[in-house]
Amino acid sequence: MVQKSISIKQYNTFGINVYADLFAKFSSIDELHELLEFNQRSTFNDQRKTLILGGGSNILFTKNFEGLVLKNEIKGIKVIKEDEHHIYVQAGAGENWHQFVLYCIKNNWAGVENLSLIPGNIGASPMQNIGAYGVEIKDVFYSLEAYHIRDKKIVNFTLNDCEFGYRDSVFKKKFNNEFVITDVTFRLNRIPNFNISYGAIGQELEKMGAKDLSLQAVSQAVINIRSSKLPDPAVIGNAGSFFKNAEIQNSKFKSLKETFPGIVGYDLPNGNVKIAAGWLIEQCGWKGYRKGNAGCHVKQALVLVNYGHAKGSEIYDLSEEIIQSVKEKFGVGLEREVNII
Ligand code: FAD
Ligand code: EPU
């Protein structure tokens, strides 16, 4: 059913109250196809724009959406193939990511435990190659199916086709808004290859008194760390890290380190350094800052928050001020991670 002029406040974790001209949910490719056909025929608006929405946890609406918002609710999880070392599990784009992680852990399928408690749905996970605590979905990704909006056909993407990078893929850049991801297949491990090198996990496992490493213990450690510093969108509107960590040349990092000895950076295989944008933002005095209903989270400066009735434009303007001040103080340009609409 297509609804007209509907608030999408409940469909985005920032809790921004904007209106979509048209809104509908779909739970199969046939329904998606029909809705896209309808939108093409519709004379409700001239642009006939379409926006595919999952859990709305990586999106900032700065204005009403003059087009059709389609919420992906394609469900289903099934094992499609098994071999000596791996289980290939296909999940519908509308499945909740964290529920999928818990389902894998329950079945002793390893590989996604470090990605516990990331909000959103399966369908958006390849969009920005979600990552946390030393793991990205590219590490367990096998393939996906996506519906090409213009050509009206299903296309299969392998790992190489997706061109995954840090918070990046072909769907975010060159194929932006061209495809609707309908399902994703993950290659999970029978034998866990625990990744607890990310400092805080080891400490948290010790604090928990976990005697043996297990998928459950690692997942719980990640959940504990995340809950201690990231705001729960059910309590305070946000979309996780608003900015990406910045990649700079090693020479630039060294000279910054002379002036700012506390700067946090990690060496990358290409010789560059990834610097913690949260540290840069905190040093510029933004952590805990609040202007009206928009703010910078008190425990994590990378996360912008909506204290109540913020407009998307207020959050966006704050992000612009932050980018400028980081540029002035450190000469580093920050990129937004969140999709701005
Ligand atoms: P949405 O916000 O609905 O959509 C995001 C983008 O993908 C939009 O451009 C949308 O049009 C597009 N899209 C959605 N579904 C489809 C589809 N089926 N086909 C094509 N395009 C689609 N991210 C991380 O990587 N690591 C983290 O640790 C992390 N922590 C977070 C913590 C919090 C508290 C919050 C609120 C967010 C966090 N995020 C994190 C960001 C977010 O959870 C992920 O980006 C997630 O994958 C977004 O999923 P979603 O379904 O909510 O996507
Ligand atoms: N830091 C500060 N001040 C802050 C925030 C961070 O100094 O206000 C410093 C910390 O002390 C630490 C470093 O920055 O030394 C890194 O902080 P943290 O471990 O919290 O991770 P992050 O780099 O801020 C990234 C991801 C998160 C992901 C975590 C854990 C990005 C943009 N963000 O955050 O992903 O959960 O690592 O792996 O890469 C997201 O993408 O939405 C997201 C939450």
Side-chain angles (χ1 to χ4, degrees):
M1 188 191 59
V2 179
Q3 294 170 279
K4 281 187 184 173
S5 191
I6 176 174
S7 166
I8 40 181
K9 184 173 180 183
Q10 60 171 309
Y11 299 115
N12 71 99
T13 62
F14 251 125
I16 304 293
N17 189 23
V18 286
Y19 282 75
D21 280 352
L22 300 168
F23 178 92
K25 298 175 180 176
F26 63 95
S27 47
S28 69
I29 293 172
D30 286 347
E31 281 178 22
L32 167 66
H33 180 78
E34 267 174 39
L35 285 162
L36 290 170
E37 296 272 289
F38 159 84
N39 201 36
Q40 245 177 19
R41 290 193 307 268
S42 152
T43 51
F44 193 80
N45 64 76
D46 294 335
Q47 296 175 11
R48 298 193 182 95
K49 282 196 298 181
T50 306
L51 175 74
I52 307 300
L53 201 59
S57 66
N58 203 21
I59 207 159
L60 176 70
F61 288 98
T62 56
K63 50 185 181 297
N64 290 335
F65 188 76
E66 295 174 346
L68 172 64
V69 172
L70 287 176
K71 183 156 163 49
N72 191 330
E73 297 203 331
I74 296 178
K75 292 280 162 63
I77 300 179
K78 59 179 185 233
V79 173
I80 55 162
K81 191 163 92 171
E82 295 187 44
D83 60 32
E84 198 189 335
H85 300 292
H86 300 111
I87 324 276
Y88 298 77
V89 186
Q90 187 181 62
E95 291 285 346
N96 175 273
W97 173 263
H98 180 59
Q99 292 308 318
F100 172 72
V101 170
L102 294 180
Y103 183 76
C104 293
I105 292 171
K106 202 171 108 201
N107 283 287
N108 273 320
W109 300 334
V112 284
E113 56 283 357
N114 290 42
L115 301 176
S116 297
L117 212 61
I118 296 183
N121 292 352
I122 290 282
S125 64
M127 265 296 283
Q128 67 157 12
N129 178 28
I130 56 167
Y133 301 95
V135 174
E136 293 180 328
I137 72 143
K138 73 167 173 43
D139 304 325
V140 287
F141 180 91
Y142 183 66
S143 67
L144 66 75
E145 287 180 311
Y147 181 93
H148 193 270
I149 294 177
R150 200 189 51 232
D151 296 352
K152 300 176 185 162
K153 62 174 192 196
I154 301 280
V155 181
N156 191 279
F157 285 78
T158 63
L159 179 62
N160 277 341
D161 297 333
C162 293
E163 294 174 25
F164 288 126
Y166 165 59
R167 298 291 188 274
D168 202 16
S169 76
V170 282
F171 302 103
K172 205 162 175 179
K173 288 230 179 88
K174 74 176 177 201
F175 295 146
N176 193 247
N177 288 328
E178 280 191 40
F179 285 96
V180 181
I181 297 168
T182 54
D183 58 73
V184 184
T185 300
F186 299 93
R187 196 179 75 151
L188 301 164
N189 305 312
R190 288 191 191 281
I191 313 277
N193 182 9
F194 293 110
N195 183 339
I196 56 161
S197 52
Y198 207 96
I201 299 190
Q203 287 159 24
E204 185 60 33
L205 285 167
E206 254 179 54
K207 208 164 104 189
M208 284 163 49
K211 289 201 181 73
D212 299 313
L213 271 185
S214 66
L215 298 179
Q216 283 84 355
V218 173
S219 167
Q220 193 56 53
V222 168
I223 289 172
N224 294 352
I225 301 165
R226 293 181 68 95
S227 311
S228 73
K229 58 180 166 186
L230 288 169
D232 177 356
V235 180
I236 181 162
N238 76 93
S241 299
F242 198 88
F243 306 96
K244 293 189 202 179
N245 287 322
E247 184 173 333
I248 58 170
Q249 288 188 339
N250 198 288
S251 52
K252 164 109 180 154
F253 180 70
K254 279 188 181 140
S255 81
L256 278 172
K257 186 116 186 135
E258 276 171 25
T259 324
F260 307 100
I263 193 167
V264 183
Y266 320 91
D267 289 331
L268 293 172
N270 64 5
N272 287 345
V273 178
K274 193 191 265 185
I275 41 174
W279 188 88
L280 302 179
I281 297 169
E282 183 175 349
Q283 296 304 307
C284 290
W286 293 107
K287 197 170 183 173
Y289 174 88
R290 176 172 179 173
K291 185 180 188 179
N293 278 305
C296 184
H297 189 51
V298 279
K299 293 187 191 158
Q300 231 297 1
L302 216 46
V303 179
L304 300 190
V305 293
N306 173 8
Y307 281 108
H309 303 286
K311 288 189 177 141
S313 56
E314 280 176 80
I315 307 271
Y316 185 85
D317 291 348
L318 174 59
S319 76
E320 201 59 39
E321 283 188 63
I322 291 175
I323 289 174
Q324 273 172 27
S325 74
V326 168
K327 186 84 193 159
E328 273 165 31
K329 190 172 170 102
F330 298 103
V332 173
L334 293 185
E335 256 183 66
R336 294 179 184 84
E337 173 190 305
V338 170
N339 299 282
I340 310 292
I341 305 292

